[in-house]
Amino acid sequence: MSMFCFQCEQTAGGKACTMAGVCGKSALVANKQDALTGALVGLARAASGKKPSRRAVELMIDGLFATITNVNFDPERIDDLKRQIEEEKDKLGGAENFSETALWEGDPDIVSLRSTLLLGIRGMAAYAHHAYVLGKQDQEVNEWFFKGMRAIGEEHTVEEWLDLLMEFGHVNLKCMALLDEANTSAYGHPVPTKVSTIIEKGPFIVISGHDLHDLKMLLEQTNGKGINIYTHGEMLPAHGYPELKKYPHLKGNFGTAWQNQQKEFMDIPAPVLFTTNCLMPPKPNYSDRIFTTAVVGYPGLVHIPADEKGYKDFTPVIEKALELGGYPEDHVMAGINGGTELITGFARNTVLGVADKVIEAVKTGAIRHFFLVGGCDGAKTGRNYYTDFVKQTPADTVILTLACGKFRFNDLQLGEIGGLPRIMDMGQCNDAYSAIQVALALSKAFNCDVNELPLTLVLSWYEQKAVCILLTLLALGIRNIYIGPSVPAFFSSNVLSVLVEKFGIKPISTPEQDLKAILG
């Protein structure tokens, strides 16, 4: 059985996976995800001219989320989701699905633009999902999912596709703002927090992914039971939220970025709960202790569903933690550079709270330049660029970071400038919203355009949430963004040329050359 997928950075040969996904998904699963996408286009068509029902919105968001890389590998659950979408489509009067084979066929430039929009919409669905479970939604965002998916099944000129991409970028900014409001209204604004990577002896649970609501429920259900909770991957920034950090058994962070899990989870004497991506096919050594929830799925793993009110009973996870017992002695898990302490919590509220100090430091020359070095991590060679880049930044520069790409360098001790650490972790990938708000506030303070600030974005990408963030940055007119470790396979040569010419997109070269070009 053959397949076609080029949505992630590690795609085979830098072109496309055609027999099996490098991520671990089979051709069967890939084709079912394409059929699910076609059904979502059908649902969008059926809702044309109508206000989508609450259930239609839920299915649209979850259906898109389930197709993101490293989320759902379970063909039965994908089939069930497609069946529910078909049922909802019929309630709306029915409509023809888009042919899944047509997704990737046609003029290379049109396929490139169509794919870029689709992948961006998938990324936005992840953010909308997290906001939705916290009771936050936005009508414009919800309606744009349907508008965008209808557009996927339509013919457009190159100019029309580019207009759709820019329109989408602005809508995704609204979605990220919605999630920011959802998280901060539920858990407070993050504050700078030191996080240990030492795993204390005794029973523990590792929670991975992005969903803070799942973490809160797990903390409540384990409170007082002698079980410690450790974050993993993109869940690290949870330690900065006041309403989460008040639980004393939220102890620290386990391991590094997602692509190291098959090594770091070997012989782990504890369960791991995946709330979102990035799940890798588990090894037999630890597969009996991997649990999934929400749209995450893998054949043979125990899945924790939500009831009608959204409540999840994590009893199976808790029982497994008590059964396994944890490490007999404290277990040291150093970061990639040997550090055992991380700092997170430098979201927009914290950074803007010391804006006067930052502005003064820039005016006096204490801070020469800001770098936003962040995005997805991955296993592909060339990602040591980001570690080397940060190590080589001058002592009078500040590194803002977010998403799991920071695990390449967030345990480095690079000192401070005026009492502020040179590396400031702004949060998860969706917290690019914080970085944007900081940049806009600084441009206002200095009475200049964002592109005139001493600020350079150096981004790494892996999956679809990085795509939607990039489109938002481009829609806001932010130029000269460095992107790597490779150019996305879904960018045709002509589309890449347009992005380079119109937005100044710059594929990374070497840290030395890029730093020289930026700083002179």
Side-chain angles (χ1 to χ4, degrees):
M1 179 181 292
S2 63
M3 58 178 280
F4 184 88
C5 183
F6 59 2
Q7 70 178 14
C8 81
E9 179 263 341
Q10 65 183 7
T11 194
K15 296 180 179 179
C17 294
T18 56
M19 299 303 294
V22 177
C23 65
K25 70 181 175 184
S26 65
L28 174 66
V29 169
N31 291 327
K32 286 183 179 293
Q33 289 183 349
D34 286 351
L36 177 63
T37 301
L40 290 170
V41 173
L43 178 63
R45 287 170 169 172
S48 181
K50 307 168 188 175
K51 182 179 179 180
S53 67
R54 178 186 178 92
R55 184 58 180 155
V57 171
E58 292 173 345
L59 289 169
M60 177 63 74
I61 292 172
D62 286 355
L64 287 164
F65 195 177
T67 61
I68 288 180
T69 306
N70 292 87
V71 172
N72 200 322
F73 300 81
D74 192 334
E76 291 186 5
R77 289 190 53 210
I78 295 171
D79 280 343
D80 183 59
L81 191 52
K82 181 173 179 288
R83 176 189 57 77
Q84 295 178 58
I85 290 166
E86 297 280 9
E87 290 176 355
E88 191 62 30
K89 183 185 70 172
D90 290 342
K91 291 178 184 177
L92 290 168
E96 183 181 0
N97 289 347
F98 185 61
S99 170
E100 58 266 29
T101 58
L103 282 170
W104 323 115
E105 295 178 348
D107 177 271
D109 296 332
I110 297 300
V111 172
S112 177
L113 292 163
R114 180 198 301 134
S115 301
T116 302
L117 179 61
L118 173 61
L119 304 184
I121 294 173
R122 286 177 175 177
M124 185 169 76
Y127 300 146
H129 171 93
H130 297 313
Y132 195 83
V133 297
L134 289 173
K136 301 290 184 180
Q137 56 179 312
D138 180 89
Q139 185 175 346
E140 182 184 358
V141 172
N142 289 344
E143 290 177 351
W144 218 94
F145 281 116
F146 290 82
K147 176 180 180 176
M149 291 307 289
R150 281 194 296 273
I152 296 299
E154 299 168 347
E155 296 295 328
H156 299 281
T157 65
V158 169
E159 291 73 20
E160 288 170 341
W161 280 115
L162 290 171
D163 287 344
L164 281 165
L165 288 171
M166 293 302 97
E167 183 181 342
F168 165 78
H170 288 290
V171 174
N172 183 60
L173 178 65
K174 194 166 189 176
C175 186
M176 288 196 293
L178 183 71
L179 179 54
D180 179 89
E181 179 190 357
N183 285 335
T184 56
S185 62
Y187 311 118
H189 285 277
V191 296
T193 303
K194 294 181 179 180
V195 182
S196 173
T197 65
I198 298 174
I199 313 304
E200 296 181 11
K201 67 180 180 179
F204 68 96
I205 295 170
V206 175
I207 182 167
S208 188
H210 306 73
D211 202 293
L212 302 181
H213 184 53
D214 285 335
L215 172 58
K216 178 70 181 307
M217 283 191 284
L218 182 64
L219 288 169
E220 291 172 342
Q221 293 178 38
T222 52
N223 199 15
K225 294 187 177 180
I227 299 173
N228 290 329
I229 306 298
Y230 292 87
T231 55
H232 172 260
E234 282 271 58
M235 198 65 83
L236 167 65
H239 290 274
Y241 287 91
E243 289 302 308
L244 298 176
K245 65 181 296 179
K246 72 180 183 182
Y247 289 91
H249 61 300
L250 178 60
K251 287 288 186 175
N253 190 73
F254 185 100
T256 53
W258 67 273
Q259 78 277 1
N260 300 318
Q261 65 189 260
Q262 291 180 327
K263 176 179 67 176
E264 293 176 343
F265 290 169
M266 289 294 285
D267 299 314
I268 184 173
V272 182
L273 174 65
F274 276 87
T275 65
T276 60
N277 56 325
C278 290
L279 170 68
M280 296 177 72
K283 299 288 188 180
N285 171 275
Y286 62 84
S287 61
D288 65 322
R289 54 208 68 182
I290 303 296
F291 295 80
T292 63
T293 191
V295 297
V296 189
Y298 195 89
L301 300 186
V302 176
H303 185 76
I304 308 295
D307 64 19
E308 293 180 355
K309 295 183 178 180
Y311 178 80
K312 299 178 181 180
D313 184 357
F314 290 120
T315 297
V317 187
I318 293 169
E319 290 177 344
K320 179 62 74 171
L322 294 172
E323 172 194 334
L324 293 170
Y327 294 110
E329 302 294 337
D330 289 357
H331 183 74
V332 178
M333 294 195 74
I336 288 177
N337 302 287
T340 57
E341 186 177 80
L342 311 174
I343 302 179
T344 190
F346 289 92
R348 61 184 172 87
N349 206 52
T350 293
V351 177
L352 294 179
V354 293
D356 56 338
K357 294 181 180 179
V358 172
I359 293 167
E360 183 62 22
V362 173
K363 289 180 177 179
T364 61
I367 295 177
R368 180 179 18 157
H369 205 85
F370 295 90
F371 296 98
L372 174 60
V373 185
C376 310
D377 204 359
K380 194 171 183 178
T381 54
R383 287 184 176 270
N384 58 314
Y385 166 96
Y386 297 93
T387 310
D388 295 340
F389 185 97
V390 169
K391 285 181 176 179
Q392 293 179 38
T393 54
D396 57 357
T397 61
V398 171
I399 297 93
L400 305 174
T401 188
L402 46 80
C404 62
K406 62 176 168 269
F407 282 101
R408 293 271 168 176
F409 51 80
N410 66 341
D411 62 326
L412 290 171
Q413 300 298 318
L414 297 186
E416 298 181 345
I417 299 178
L420 296 173
R422 284 193 55 223
I423 297 180
M424 290 191 274
D425 177 13
M426 304 192 79
Q428 298 179 343
C429 55
N430 57 281
D431 291 314
Y433 177 76
S434 272
I436 291 169
Q437 295 308 305
V438 168
L440 293 176
L442 289 177
S443 68
K444 184 177 180 180
F446 287 109
N447 193 29
C448 68
D449 183 83
V450 171
N451 293 305
E452 297 173 330
L453 287 171
L455 168 68
T456 302
L457 278 61
V458 184
L459 305 181
S460 56
W461 81 281
Y462 173 75
E463 46 90 344
Q464 294 74 70
K465 284 176 276 185
V467 178
C468 72
I469 292 171
L470 177 63
L471 292 174
T472 291
L473 294 173
L474 299 183
L476 291 172
I478 297 176
R479 296 178 53 84
N480 302 320
I481 299 171
Y482 286 75
I483 185 171
S486 60
V487 174
F490 50 85
F491 284 170
S492 68
S493 58
N494 287 333
V495 169
L496 179 60
S497 295
V498 169
L499 295 177
V500 170
E501 180 181 351
K502 188 173 182 179
F503 301 103
I505 289 287
K506 299 178 182 295
I508 62 172
S509 57
T510 67
E512 294 81 6
Q513 289 177 329
D514 291 343
L515 279 167
K516 184 177 180 180
I518 295 166
L519 298 175

